[in-house]
Amino acid sequence: MTAITTTTSRQGDTQDEAGTRTGKVMAAIRAKVASRALAAGDRLPSIRRFAAAQGVSPSTVVEAYDRLAAEGLIRARRGSGFYVAATVPAPMALAAEPARELAVDPFWVSRQSLDADPAVLKPGCGWLPEDWMPHAALRRALRALARAEPALLADYGSTRGSLALRRLLLGRFAEEGLEAAPAQLLLTGSGTQAIDLICRFLLQPGDTVLVDDPCYFNFQALLRAHQARVVGVPYTPSGPDVTAFETVLASEQPRLYLTNSALHNPTGASLSPQTAHRVLRAAAAHGLTIVEDDIFADFEPEPSPRLAVLDGLERVIRIGSFSKTLSASVRCGYIAARADWIEGLVDLQVATSFGGASPVATELVGQVLAGGGYRKHMEALRRRLSQARRDIAARLAPLGIDPWLMPRGGFYLWCRLPDGLDSTVLARLALADGVVLAPGNVFSVSQSAASFLRINVAQSGDPRVPETLRRVMAAARS
Amino acid sequence: MTAITTTTSRQGDTQDEAGTRTGKVMAAIRAKVASRALAAGDRLPSIRRFAAAQGVSPSTVVEAYDRLAAEGLIRARRGSGFYVAATVPAPMALAAEPARELAVDPFWVSRQSLDADPAVLKPGCGWLPEDWMPHAALRRALRALARAEPALLADYGSTRGSLALRRLLLGRFAEEGLEAAPAQLLLTGSGTQAIDLICRFLLQPGDTVLVDDPCYFNFQALLRAHQARVVGVPYTPSGPDVTAFETVLASEQPRLYLTNSALHNPTGASLSPQTAHRVLRAAAAHGLTIVEDDIFADFEPEPSPRLAVLDGLERVIRIGSFSKTLSASVRCGYIAARADWIEGLVDLQVATSFGGASPVATELVGQVLAGGGYRKHMEALRRRLSQARRDIAARLAPLGIDPWLMPRGGFYLWCRLPDGLDSTVLARLALADGVVLAPGNVFSVSQSAASFLRINVAQSGDPRVPETLRRVMAAARS
């Protein structure tokens, strides 16, 4: 018995050991791929060489390589050895789920809504329906552009972008009490590109970035592309939870905080003056830089506190764009920051885009913004959205779906589902019915928003939206 | 004597030692800044704590901090300690020269030509004069766009970009013998953004990238932004020096090779079939991915060999744009590659730009390309440039400035200066006279092109160009 037990045990050990040895070799290769010491298409070390390096037998390396090949991480090629598979070429792909279309990750809503068939309903998407946008003004601007000088139609334009549009924006900032110089403003290809450029300028892989929990899902996708460590701070109806914010600044030493202050995405909340002040005080104490994404500014009935204004662009960087209010087809964003940072960002934008916003795009945006029609359009849009928020909330109430708060403006309602329902499950079911939803957890770093849905009221007027919600909720319950 | 010598020697040692200690502390702080363990605005360790950590006296740390402050790397602030200065916030800025406007680096030509006053002459710039571009076609396209459907004017568009424009491009590829599917093509915000996206997808900081020497200066600026290690391979009139290429692939294991095959920038040379074949064979042997920037394709009188065509988009990625032939104001580029890579690039583009080329831009480009006018415009442009290359070469000959070769197309002449002249010196002198030159070394990784200038023949018709060259050459000689 004893002998047998021992033998069994030793056999077990041997198997475990062999397993461990194989596992070690597999882990060593995985680490090389993760650290990019081995990249897609790279040949793996020869079996003999790697066996010697790892102090294991060649058969252990063969076993490890075979298992990794079965997993799809590496491939055997025409008898010439093993290579890293092409489908894991970059950090993005490494982070991606195997079943891409089914993964309800920070890309999910973007993927489903950007490439949706026109027949698909998109209460989960992040923009207004095409017929809520100011086409008449855009068409006028296009006709005017058709008569513009050749240089405007043909040339790259200046590195900081149209001075006329920058002056117009600075005038709007001044109305808020934010005085800034043209050298503090840079036009970019889009609001997302503005944040991306700032991240490239200020972050290194592994840096910690603080976001609201919940926050706009693409912040997470973008920060993942920068290989940043993303840390969330709980969001309250008056801004980030300040006590948690102070604690996390002390413990995590984040390099950046990326937030929306007004009409926060997805909650629709706005920062209170007290929270704004404490956030800035904590940021100063910890040397934190803040990126304030202000793309929903024009949807506010009257201005709420802004970090950029209180701070005077010292440690706060303001970014914005016109994709939500004017056109998402004419892309243009901006960065307002300290002049020395802008100077560095200008070079970085030349290196990576050879210029920023297209002159044709900035001219169209400038034309529309300068026309009196834009203010009128926004006034009408705010009234229409105010009505839509009430209407849609009233239609969702019978389903037991309630807004977390009633926002002062904008097109989002951050809604809590009845107990026991998981919005990711609903989103999968609804997609099969041709309805794109935005499930709570795609916004949540801590994955604590499974019982929430973000509803775009402007995209939810069709009666099929509440009908589909009712149907998928029933299906999820059964 | 002996005693005195010893004392002197010991004093010397002590000073050296103190210098070494201070130097060590300075080096430690510099390393933290370079590695971004300390970023712009970060507080430095307290003097007492850092002295203990480094095993030196607090006075040594004080001395080191004071010297670094004098250098501008750190700043003392309101009695609250020392902070990393804001002007070194990122790798880009770290790499920049202190005297930015005077540094004749890979940014120099871009900076000087993009922001030049209209009165400035730009024989060094990389584009055609505004009145050589097809405005009439663009104006027609703008008027048509003013009548487009609301969705085209208002929405983000699909993640891969306009299917119509992609099909049009695929048709052109097919004419070259390159069959590809729509899923292998992604539209981007510009040609530079196309390369940037690929670099983000395939590179990690520290990866080695191979470029031609000389090569387009912005390749270096872009790769620097990716913190890549840039290695050059000498360029010959028929492409890269293949023997050197094979050697460097074996010794440096580059991840990517970034090149222009046809009408290479700055030399105007084109790849021979034999070189193309050997480059691809070596790339296959070493698992190298190649990015072929094909923006000058339409300037060729007839097609020359392309790596992307020979390879069938296996390991070669083709990128292009319309900024050189159609408009630099309407920005749009593309990436043609393996479908699985495109899928990863799509996600990366959503994360970092929330979409690619603006639908308005792709519609304008598509309209112009589809019109019969574009081919006629390009035929006329090729004839005009052919004449301009001969004319400008004839005007430069009396100055002793000779083209390295006479290109088959395009607008560049890569010119050798008379012995003893340094093109960087000429560029600085010419700038003071309101003329932007492109000195050889901004194109050269090895800084071995001081006796070359890149001349844009389309921007050199003004008699002040040769006059200025003559004057600055005389000034440089004296």
Side-chain angles (χ1 to χ4, degrees), chain A residues 31-53:
Chain A
K32 278 176 193 289
V33 173
S35 72
R36 309 263 311 148
L38 283 173
D42 281 356
R43 191 178 182 160
L44 266 67
S46 78
I47 285 162
R48 186 183 304 267
R49 191 149 62 85
F50 205 53

Side-chain angles (χ1 to χ4, degrees), chain B residues 441-453:
Chain B
N441 272 345
V442 304
F443 302 90
S444 173
V445 175
S446 65
Q447 295 290 289
S448 59
S451 63
F452 285 87
L453 266 184

Side-chain angles (χ1 to χ4, degrees), chain B residues 291-307:
Chain B
V291 177
E292 188 173 48
D293 176 357
D294 210 15
I295 52 165
F296 300 107
D298 287 356
F299 289 106
E300 282 199 300
E302 64 280 325
S304 60
R306 289 296 195 287
L307 298 171

Side-chain angles (χ1 to χ4, degrees), chain B residues 45-186:
Chain B
S46 80
I47 284 162
R48 188 182 305 267
R49 190 148 63 84
F50 205 54
Q54 296 280 313
V56 298
S57 70
S59 65
T60 303
V61 176
V62 169
E63 170 74 14
Y65 282 15
D66 279 342
R67 287 199 203 173
L68 290 170
E71 283 180 22
L73 187 76
I74 67 175
R75 285 189 316 191
R77 207 186 276 171
R78 291 153 294 178
S80 72
F82 288 86
Y83 292 77
V84 179
T87 43
V88 285
M92 294 294 301
L94 283 172
E97 304 280 333
R100 291 166 52 85
E101 284 315 313
L102 289 175
V104 182
D105 60 15
F107 285 104
W108 196 83
V109 178
S110 316
R111 254 186 237 125
Q112 305 304 343
S113 23
L114 287 170
D115 290 329
D117 184 274
V120 166
L121 296 170
K122 301 190 287 289
C125 88
W127 54 88
L128 294 174
E130 59 198 45
D131 55 352
W132 293 46
M133 301 293 271
H135 313 127
L138 257 175
R139 292 183 199 282
R140 265 196 307 279
L142 281 164
R143 287 192 297 268
L145 190 57
R147 299 184 298 270
E149 292 189 357
L152 182 61
L153 298 181
D155 286 355
Y156 282 95
S158 69
T159 58
R160 284 172 165 79
S162 155
L163 184 59
L165 181 53
R166 281 185 289 147
R167 286 202 190 285
L168 196 150
L169 289 171
L170 291 171
R172 291 165 54 132
F173 293 176
E175 288 175 27
E176 297 174 74
L178 177 61
E179 296 289 344
Q184 290 184 270
L185 199 52
L186 169 64

Side-chain angles (χ1 to χ4, degrees), chain A residues 93 132 225 277 413:
Chain A
W132 292 46
H277 176 64
L413 294 178

Side-chain angles (χ1 to χ4, degrees), chain A residues 36 86 90-91 100 115 139 148 152-154 156 159 196 200-202 204 327-329 331 338 343 354 358, chain B residues 36 86 90-91 100 115 139 148 152-154 159 196 200-202 204 324 327-329 331 338 343 347 354 358:
Chain A
R36 309 263 311 148
R100 291 165 52 85
D115 290 328
R139 292 183 199 284
L152 181 60
L153 298 181
Y156 282 95
T159 57
D196 183 50
R200 293 168 84 134
F201 187 62
L202 292 175
Q204 283 285 310
S327 165
S329 173
R331 306 296 300 275
R338 287 160 36 169
E343 201 178 344
F354 207 73
S358 119
Chain B
R36 308 265 310 150
R100 291 166 52 85
D115 290 329
R139 292 183 199 282
L152 182 61
L153 298 181
T159 58
D196 182 51
R200 292 169 84 135
F201 187 62
L202 292 175
Q204 283 286 312
K324 303 302 178 194
S327 165
S329 174
R331 307 293 302 272
R338 287 158 39 168
E343 200 178 345
D347 275 359
F354 206 72
S358 120

Side-chain angles (χ1 to χ4, degrees), chain B residues 221-368:
Chain B
L222 174 65
L223 293 169
R224 191 195 283 188
H226 286 275
Q227 298 173 256
R229 209 177 126 248
V230 181
V231 173
V233 61
Y235 208 73
T236 80
S238 59
D241 176 323
V242 187
T243 308
F245 186 83
E246 288 164 347
T247 306
V248 81
L249 255 55
S251 64
E252 306 286 344
Q253 305 286 332
R255 177 74 192 95
L256 278 185
Y257 170 46
L258 178 53
T259 189
N260 311 115
S261 295
L263 304 179
H264 173 258
N265 183 359
T267 65
S270 293
L271 204 60
S272 74
Q274 298 76 33
T275 303
H277 176 64
R278 283 187 61 186
V279 161
L280 284 176
R281 201 172 52 187
H286 292 276
L288 176 75
T289 301
I290 299 176
V291 177
E292 188 173 48
D293 176 357
D294 210 15
I295 52 165
F296 300 107
D298 287 356
F299 289 106
E300 282 199 300
E302 64 280 325
S304 60
R306 289 296 195 287
L307 298 171
V309 176
L310 288 175
D311 170 71
L313 299 178
E314 279 284 323
R315 65 175 59 255
V316 178
I317 301 173
R318 163 178 281 192
I319 76 104
S321 92
F322 312 95
S323 299
K324 303 302 178 194
T325 52
L326 198 154
S327 165
S329 174
V330 179
R331 307 293 302 272
C332 174
Y334 65 80
I335 302 175
R338 287 158 39 168
D340 58 336
W341 286 2
I342 292 293
E343 200 178 345
L345 290 164
V346 163
D347 275 359
L348 192 52
Q349 183 159 260
V350 167
T352 58
S353 306
F354 206 72
S358 120
V360 155
T362 51
E363 181 67 17
L364 290 173
V365 168
Q367 290 261 356
V368 174

